[in-house]
Amino acid sequence: MRERLLHSRALIVFVLLSLAANLSAATAAHWTVVSQPPRLVNGSPVLFRVTTPTPVRALSGNWLGHEIAFSFDARGKVWFALAGVSLETKPGAYPIELHAETSAEQSAGQAISFEKKIRVERQRYPRVLLKVPARYTAPSPEDQRQIEQDKATKAEAFKTVSAVREWKGSFAAPVQAAISDVFGVERVFNGTVESTHQGLDFRVPSGTKVAAVNSGRVILARPCSLKGIAS
């Protein structure tokens, strides 16, 4: 009799543990996080698409130390956001943390969260060897102070996140012209890597009209040392 009782208790514990595991798996399975492109590398732009286990009022995220603002696509019933991987990010798996507040009537206002690790691989970028006069690689103390001030100004501007998404639809090239320099190129001046190109350059004559690639708001427009106009 005692053996049957112990067996029954063991069976109940096993069933409860199985139910808990299945419930946990089911909850996680209802969260879907898809990143595009499928292979992410240092320097990649990223489009996240997220479906939640229940309707939510808002969705926010954090990845690689940056806040991510999500927008809702009512037609596809999916949340989406743009993010990016810096050139300095080392290979590894980095967790994206998602936080939401439910909107369903039976659980309105309930906080839910989810975490998934996103893998980043290493990408090697081309190098360009340049020989220039020493004054361009050894700025004066005054120029160095200006360079540091410009860096701080741009870093502060890059922290700006608008409350609502300002871009819409597809992105378009700013001008129809040949590409003169690509993203990620290491520029080696007089044998030393002085900068890494973090844009995409188009070769056009002076005075050519250049369009914005999408809707938005200009938050900084001023001359900057060594790198022309920041906008």
Side-chain angles (χ1 to χ4, degrees):
M1 182 70 178
R2 187 163 178 264
E3 289 182 358
R4 288 183 180 179
L5 182 59
L6 290 175
H7 178 74
S8 298
R9 287 178 177 175
L11 182 60
I12 291 171
V13 170
F14 175 76
V15 170
L16 289 175
L17 289 175
S18 298
L19 288 173
N22 290 336
L23 179 61
S24 176
T27 301
H30 282 84
W31 281 90
T32 304
V33 181
V34 178
S35 56
Q36 295 176 305
R39 179 178 179 267
L40 299 183
V41 300
N42 51 309
S44 285
V46 188
L47 172 64
F48 284 116
R49 294 180 181 272
V50 176
T51 55
T52 57
T54 186
V56 299
R57 297 175 180 175
L59 177 68
S60 62
N62 187 289
W63 191 54
L64 296 174
H66 294 277
E67 294 296 322
I68 304 175
F70 282 87
S71 299
F72 186 63
D73 177 8
R75 290 178 299 177
K77 295 183 179 180
V78 63
W79 292 85
F80 64 93
L82 289 176
V85 187
S86 76
L87 283 167
E88 292 75 27
T89 301
K90 299 181 183 298
Y94 298 90
I96 179 172
E97 301 171 358
L98 299 172
H99 304 280
E101 185 177 303
T102 60
S103 59
E105 292 182 2
Q106 65 273 20
S107 60
Q110 179 183 350
I112 59 174
S113 61
F114 182 69
E115 183 178 299
K116 177 183 178 180
K117 289 188 176 181
I118 307 294
R119 175 155 293 279
V120 175
E121 299 179 17
R122 184 182 181 185
Q123 174 68 41
R124 294 183 180 274
Y125 291 93
R127 282 190 167 191
V128 174
L129 306 180
L130 301 169
K131 192 74 174 177
V132 298
R135 67 179 182 274
Y136 293 112
T137 58
S140 66
E142 183 179 350
D143 288 339
Q144 189 61 46
R145 283 193 295 271
Q146 185 62 52
I147 291 170
E148 295 303 319
Q149 289 177 7
D150 291 343
K151 285 182 179 179
T153 298
K154 289 192 287 185
E156 190 63 29
F158 290 155
K159 293 178 184 178
T160 304
V161 178
S162 59
V164 296
R165 176 171 56 90
E166 297 184 345
W167 59 272
K168 59 183 180 180
S170 301
F171 288 76
V175 67
Q176 295 300 316
I179 294 173
S180 58
D181 204 356
V182 296
F183 176 88
V185 173
E186 290 186 341
R187 293 167 174 170
V188 183
F189 292 92
N190 300 343
T192 303
V193 177
E194 294 288 346
S195 68
T196 302
H197 191 226
Q198 298 192 33
L200 186 66
D201 293 350
F202 296 84
R203 189 184 304 280
V204 294
S206 177
T208 300
K209 290 184 178 181
V210 178
V213 297
N214 208 308
S215 301
R217 178 170 59 90
V218 176
I219 59 173
L220 177 65
R222 53 165 286 184
C224 285
S225 55
L226 299 182
K227 295 186 178 179
I229 302 294
S231 60

